[in-house]
Amino acid sequence: MKRIFKYLIAAIGFCATVSCEDMNSLHQEYLDRGELIYPGKVDSINIYPGIEKVKFEWEVKADPRISKVEIHWSEGVEAKKREYPVIRTEDGSFIMSALIDSIPEGSYNFEFITWDDAGNRSLASTRAVDIYGNSGYLAHRLAKTTRLGNGTLIAWQPADSSMVRVELSYTDLDGLQQQTTVLPEEKNTIVLHQGEIQMVTVYKKPLDLDTLRATAKTLPVSTSLAKTIVKEGTSIITAVDFDLGGEGVAYHDSDSSNEGNNDYRGALGEENCPVDIQNTPPNVGWSNAGEWLQYTVTVEEEGDYLADLNLSVGGGSAQYSLIVNGVKTDVYNLISNSNWDSYRWYHQTNPAEPQPEIHLLKGVNVIRLYMDNGGFNLRSISLINALYVIVSPDNRVSSLAPALYYGFTNATDLSLPFAGSAPLEFSEQVMAKPALNPGDGKKAVQITKTNKVKVQNPVSSPLNRYTLMWDINIPVGGEYYTLLQTSLTNSSDANLFINRNRQLGRGDYSGALVELNEWHRIVLVVDDAASGSTVYKVYLNGQHVLTNNSGSIKNGAVSLKEHFWIFTDEDGEDNELYCAGFAMWANKMLTDTEIAALGKTVL
């Protein structure tokens, strides 16, 4: 035990000796080198970032030993440095500045180090800086936009604190280039324009060197209420979606308050609109003489368009007119239905009343609904190209009570009959088309050469006694046109043609000719049950032109089965034509007097 204790004392003594020697060595090194004194650090650094550059301002301490300032940063793996000598003109601290440019966009750490002439350096002062570059990363001010006929309503969301403005560039209604500046405090903006709006959002923070501009882009449209008047079909203009621009531009209202208390326009972003809007769905009410609403529309095809109003007439002397591109129509009287909330399409409900037909150009048109006398509530306006409107069924035909009568009056389904229940069956889609001479106002459905049209027999078959009527227009001569095919499978020659010489019949042909590009009413009277020869009589525009006695019409050949065909032949003798009406009388042979009263086609 005594031996172990002796060894332990010896070890401790050895360690103490070695430690004292190390401390003596460090002390000597300090005495040899002298005291280490750091130069004063850079203080109070202000940063002014810009586009691919940054400006710094900093305070240099009163330490007289400071001879230069270095700024260090890294661009990727490459170390960068700038040196700035310290030149004193007086004692004390002072401000230095430096602009560093050609720095790629990105986030950087900049270190500021001071040096003295003896090669001593200060501790580093570090600052993080974002350098701006391509402005594509900048966001645009957000907004809800509503496109109306002559412009756009912009409801802005609150601006970012660094946004200074939004610049809008557009073409105005006169075709001139314009620019509008929107300030951060602006909530709603109305721009009257054509085409698109380009927007640039501009930013500048208090210490930024540069104004930053977001990449220009097209202002997106949140909702489009602008109306295109289509070439075919009905276009509806909602009454409350009138133009922008306020009193005297988009509308004229006789007072300054909205009596209807439906803030439809306010919800879009148009403040304090006085047009009297009420109800849901909304309508314009409280109409007074001299008030008007304006609608800018884009038209696909130039032409004449029939206008109708969806309204309720509570007053007793209501009147309106339309002003189209500055041209006023006649004044139209409105028959009262003694109700402010019973809406209907006025001219559709009152077909005997005069209906406005307006001429619209292709492209932009301006339509004003003028209230010559108040007394009605307006919900919407319809426009349909007159060339594509099929005329209402002929009362001369209807009065003779046909079993089937196709007048093509249902715009959504042209196959539906005006009288009877069975629709026509077209092998191809059929649309309302103009006749070859659209200037004469004629309309029809176009039956192409490949369109096979099947008619369901509305009575039990075989049907031996009947009358058929066609209202047709043939465009070219030198071709066959088929009117009737009784073969169930269209597997034999048809039963009534217009031949290449434009004569009517089959085998035997009429002396009278079917003139080109004119409307004709053709009637066929059949009695296939008569003793002896079948009765087969053809009429053109009310005149008897053919009785087929040649034997080419054999007994039973023109008897109608469960269905038959029109404008269809088994070997292609069925050229394209226009049809404005087809009627059938079952078990009835119209007389010469009745057919004369039918006369010719009137469209």
Side-chain angles (χ1 to χ4, degrees):
M1 182 67 180
K2 289 180 180 179
R3 182 180 297 176
I4 292 173
F5 182 73
K6 181 170 64 176
Y7 290 158
L8 178 60
I9 294 298
I12 292 172
F14 174 78
C15 290
T17 302
V18 172
S19 296
C20 289
E21 290 177 354
D22 287 343
M23 289 183 67
N24 290 335
S25 175
L26 290 172
H27 181 67
Q28 186 62 45
E29 180 182 351
Y30 175 77
L31 291 176
D32 294 341
R33 187 178 61 189
E35 182 182 4
L36 182 60
I37 300 176
Y38 291 99
K41 290 176 57 177
V42 166
D43 200 5
S44 303
I45 302 172
N46 292 323
I47 303 169
Y48 304 93
I51 298 174
E52 297 186 342
K53 60 180 175 288
V54 61
K55 178 182 178 182
F56 294 109
E57 289 181 351
W58 65 89
E59 181 183 3
V60 178
K61 296 292 187 181
D63 185 346
R65 295 173 303 155
I66 299 174
S67 61
K68 69 176 178 180
V69 177
E70 290 181 351
I71 302 177
H72 297 257
W73 75 98
S74 295
E75 294 178 9
V77 297
E78 184 179 0
K80 296 283 186 175
K81 180 181 75 171
R82 296 282 177 91
E83 293 185 5
Y84 302 94
V86 174
I87 301 174
R88 293 183 181 275
T89 59
E90 58 185 27
D91 294 337
S93 62
F94 68 99
I95 301 300
M96 292 183 66
S97 66
L99 177 67
I100 304 175
D101 56 12
S102 302
I103 306 175
E105 177 185 358
S107 297
Y108 297 87
N109 288 318
F110 289 84
E111 290 187 342
F112 293 74
I113 301 171
T114 63
W115 292 83
D116 62 19
D117 291 335
N120 298 315
R121 54 165 285 174
S122 70
L123 298 175
S125 297
T126 303
R127 296 293 186 270
V129 180
D130 289 328
I131 303 297
Y132 305 130
N134 187 323
S135 58
Y137 69 94
L138 292 173
H140 286 276
R141 187 175 179 183
L142 299 177
K144 181 186 77 172
T145 59
T146 304
R147 184 72 164 95
L148 288 154
N150 68 337
T152 299
L153 234 172
I154 309 171
W156 298 104
Q157 292 191 16
D160 181 272
S161 59
S162 61
M163 286 182 188
V164 293
R165 65 183 179 272
V166 175
E167 297 171 355
L168 302 177
S169 302
Y170 57 92
T171 302
D172 69 17
L173 300 178
D174 294 322
L176 302 176
Q177 295 300 309
Q178 302 289 350
Q179 187 173 87
T180 294
T181 297
V182 180
L183 298 178
E185 61 269 20
E186 190 168 334
K187 295 181 179 179
N188 298 304
T189 304
I190 293 176
V191 181
L192 304 185
H193 69 100
Q194 50 185 305
E196 297 177 333
I197 299 175
Q198 295 295 310
M199 72 180 298
V200 174
T201 304
V202 181
Y203 294 81
K204 194 173 191 300
K205 295 179 181 179
L207 297 181
D208 284 352
L209 288 177
D210 299 311
T211 297
L212 305 179
R213 300 170 62 85
T215 302
K217 76 166 190 175
T218 299
L219 179 71
V221 177
S222 308
T223 304
S224 179
L225 302 176
K227 179 53 64 179
T228 296
I229 307 304
V230 297
K231 176 181 177 180
E232 299 182 36
T234 301
S235 301
I236 305 296
I237 302 170
T238 304
V240 295
D241 293 334
F242 45 85
D243 280 355
L244 295 168
E247 172 64 36
V249 175
Y251 54 80
H252 169 59
D253 199 272
S254 57
D255 58 51
S256 60
S257 62
N258 177 4
E259 300 293 341
N261 296 318
N262 180 337
D263 195 24
Y264 174 85
R265 300 285 288 203
L268 299 180
E270 183 177 17
E271 299 174 344
N272 304 317
C273 177
V275 176
D276 304 309
I277 298 175
Q278 63 179 154
N279 298 328
T280 302
N283 65 269
V284 176
W286 282 270
S287 57
N288 292 302
E291 295 182 333
W292 50 265
L293 300 166
Q294 179 171 295
Y295 305 88
T296 298
V297 299
T298 301
V299 178
E300 289 185 348
E301 180 179 89
E302 180 176 358
D304 295 327
Y305 289 75
L306 292 172
D308 202 352
L309 306 185
N310 188 257
L311 46 66
S312 186
V313 185
S317 56
Q319 294 177 316
Y320 81 95
S321 58
L322 298 173
I323 302 174
V324 182
N325 299 324
V327 179
K328 195 173 190 293
T329 67
D330 294 335
V331 176
Y332 297 91
N333 297 317
L334 297 172
I335 300 171
S336 176
N337 59 334
S338 301
N339 194 312
W340 294 106
D341 199 29
S342 179
Y343 290 86
R344 81 273 196 213
W345 289 105
Y346 181 79
H347 294 287
Q348 182 177 314
T349 307
N350 299 280
E353 291 295 303
Q355 182 174 7
E357 187 168 329
I358 61 177
H359 188 78
L360 298 177
L361 304 174
K362 183 175 182 178
V364 176
N365 293 255
V366 178
I367 301 171
R368 279 188 182 178
L369 177 78
Y370 190 82
M371 302 168 190
D372 295 271
N373 203 7
F376 62 93
N377 290 344
L378 178 67
R379 185 172 284 171
S380 51
I381 304 166
S382 72
L383 292 171
I384 183 169
N385 193 328
L387 292 178
Y388 300 92
V389 176
I390 300 302
V391 69
S392 298
D394 191 332
N395 288 333
R396 294 172 299 170
V397 178
S398 301
S399 66
L400 296 176
L404 289 174
Y405 183 19
Y406 300 91
F408 309 109
T409 58
N410 189 324
T412 60
D413 189 348
L414 294 169
S415 70
L416 297 179
F418 179 70
S421 59
L424 287 175
E425 298 179 28
F426 298 101
S427 65
E428 298 175 358
Q429 183 179 4
V430 66
M431 294 188 297
K433 296 286 183 181
L436 287 181
N437 300 313
D440 62 14
K442 299 185 173 92
K443 313 76 157 171
V445 286
Q446 183 180 33
I447 307 297
T448 63
K449 185 177 179 68
T450 55
N451 199 346
K452 311 305 180 186
V453 185
K454 182 190 291 186
V455 183
Q456 295 295 332
N457 186 350
V459 298
S460 59
S461 61
L463 176 62
N464 299 313
R465 293 163 56 93
Y466 58 87
T467 302
L468 302 178
M469 184 205 79
W470 298 260
D471 288 326
I472 65 161
N473 181 313
I474 62 172
V476 296
E479 299 285 350
Y480 267 89
Y481 298 89
T482 298
L483 299 181
L484 175 64
Q485 167 66 281
T486 61
S487 168
L488 286 173
T489 57
N490 185 29
S491 56
S492 62
D493 213 17
N495 306 97
L496 177 60
F497 293 99
I498 300 172
N499 67 13
R500 291 188 176 91
N501 297 320
R502 294 181 282 114
Q503 298 167 303
L504 285 159
R506 184 183 186 277
D508 283 353
Y509 287 93
S510 65
L513 302 182
V514 178
E515 298 298 333
L516 300 178
N517 301 318
E518 293 185 9
W519 286 98
H520 300 281
R521 176 160 286 170
I522 298 169
V523 176
L524 173 65
V525 176
V526 169
D527 184 356
D528 204 13
S531 58
S533 299
T534 295
V535 175
Y536 178 99
K537 298 171 70 175
V538 181
Y539 297 77
L540 177 63
N541 298 325
Q543 301 297 314
H544 179 208
V545 296
L546 175 68
T547 298
N548 192 315
N549 293 317
S550 68
S552 61
I553 302 296
K554 298 180 181 180
N555 287 345
V558 286
S559 175
L560 300 181
K561 315 304 187 294
E562 57 266 29
H563 70 259
F564 58 96
W565 305 83
I566 54 176
F567 315 125
T568 303
D569 181 61
E570 104 285 7
D571 59 0
E573 294 178 324
D574 46 12
N575 207 50
E576 180 178 296
L577 53 72
Y578 297 89
C579 178
F582 173 74
M584 172 187 180
W585 288 263
N587 296 308
K588 182 175 182 178
M589 299 168 62
L590 295 185
T591 66
D592 287 356
T593 301
E594 290 172 323
I595 294 171
L598 288 176
K600 64 186 298 184
T601 305
V602 177
L603 298 183

